[in-house]
């Protein structure tokens, strides 16, 4: 896409382990981006403390202070623009983003989801997988569109689901692959050589760089 580091916003609601994975990969020079702001809808998100300590700007945009989703979306867009963000990674951000947000950063928003989409979209994907009795699950990095967890898929990795897994055990196994594929998927997207074709990401030469 471009040679300069891409100004990136990371949106979180909680712990922020994917934020840490992204920041680590960027610091190690593996991803051509720089995090210009970490935004949370919750003041108590643990990931904000990590960002503070790492010297990354933070902002809190509490969803409860906005009457409608479009108003909230616009407030988020304003905050991101004020920090110069050009690309967005959702990392455990627990709000659904509408067209006002998605259009402002069209094809420039990624999310990581703890299942092999399109299976088990929505909340508590790991529990859904266990309740369904699947023997494989995993993680998906995808572009964000207004349809929940349904945007074009960038990268996936699978993990086995063991017969005696509980939600916690499966979540931990999936989280490891999230931390591996999210920075790699971001690197691939920022490196260019792709386009969106319907619901698919197509890579130049047929496979990602
Ligand atoms: C991850 O499992 C991610 O897939 C989901 O929310 C969780 C966030 O974890 N969207 P963390 O805050 O990145 O540790």
């Amino acid at each position: 896409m471009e040679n300069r580091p891409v100004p990136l916003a990371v949106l979180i609601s909680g712990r922020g382990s994917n934020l840490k994975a992204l920041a680590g990969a960027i610091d190690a020079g593996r991803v051509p981006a720089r995090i210009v702001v970490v935004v949370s809808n919750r003041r108590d998100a643990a990931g904000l403390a990590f960002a503070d300590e790492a010297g990354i700007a933070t902002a809190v945009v509490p969803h409860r202070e906005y009457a409608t989703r479009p108003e909230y979306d616009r407030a988020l867009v304003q905050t991101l623009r004020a920090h110069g963000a050009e690309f967005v990674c959702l990392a455990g951000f627990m709000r659904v983003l509408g067209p006002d947000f998605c259009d402002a950063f069209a094809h420039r928003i990624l999310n990581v989801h703890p299942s092999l989409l399109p299976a088990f979209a929505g909340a508590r994907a790991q529990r859904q997988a266990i309740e369904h009795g699947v023997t494989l699950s995993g993680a998906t990095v995808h572009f964000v569109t207004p349809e929940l967890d349904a945007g074009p898929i960038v990268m996936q990795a699978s993990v086995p689901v063991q017969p005696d897994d509980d939600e916690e055990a499966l979540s931990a196994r999936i989280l490891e692959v999230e931390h591996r594929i999210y920075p790699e998927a971001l690197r691939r997207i920022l490196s260019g050589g792709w386009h969106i074709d319907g619901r698919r990401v197509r890579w130049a030469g047929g496979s990602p760089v």
Side-chain angles (χ1 to χ4, degrees), residues 18-140:
N18 280 289
L19 161 66
K20 284 182 203 166
L22 291 170
I26 289 168
D27 280 351
R30 295 204 303 275
V31 180
R34 68 191 165 90
I35 303 176
V36 291
V37 66
V38 172
V39 180
S40 175
N41 61 315
R42 300 174 56 111
R43 280 178 213 291
D44 60 355
L48 288 174
F50 163 78
D52 273 342
E53 279 159 32
I56 303 168
T58 60
V60 177
V61 187
H63 56 279
R64 289 188 204 291
E65 291 177 12
Y66 298 85
T68 65
R69 178 170 298 155
E71 283 173 61
Y72 185 63
D73 280 3
R74 286 196 289 270
L76 280 178
V77 171
Q78 219 170 25
T79 303
L80 266 50
R81 294 226 194 283
H83 286 86
E86 294 175 16
F87 202 98
V88 185
C89 281
L90 309 186
F93 186 66
M94 301 304 282
R95 306 301 304 170
V96 175
L97 296 165
D100 289 271
F101 189 90
C102 294
D103 292 350
F105 290 95
H107 300 159
R108 286 173 170 263
I109 315 167
L110 293 178
N111 181 44
V112 65
H113 182 78
S115 75
L116 294 175
L117 289 171
F120 313 129
R124 303 193 76 168
Q126 303 93 332
R127 191 172 72 170
Q128 293 184 54
I130 289 170
E131 283 174 355
H132 210 93
V134 295
T135 57
L136 277 179
S137 191
T140 303

Side-chain angles (χ1 to χ4, degrees), residues 117 140-145 147-154 199 201:
L117 289 171
T140 303
V141 178
H142 63 95
F143 279 103
V144 173
T145 60
E147 195 186 342
L148 183 66
D149 299 330
I153 290 170
V154 177
R199 65 160 57 249
V201 179

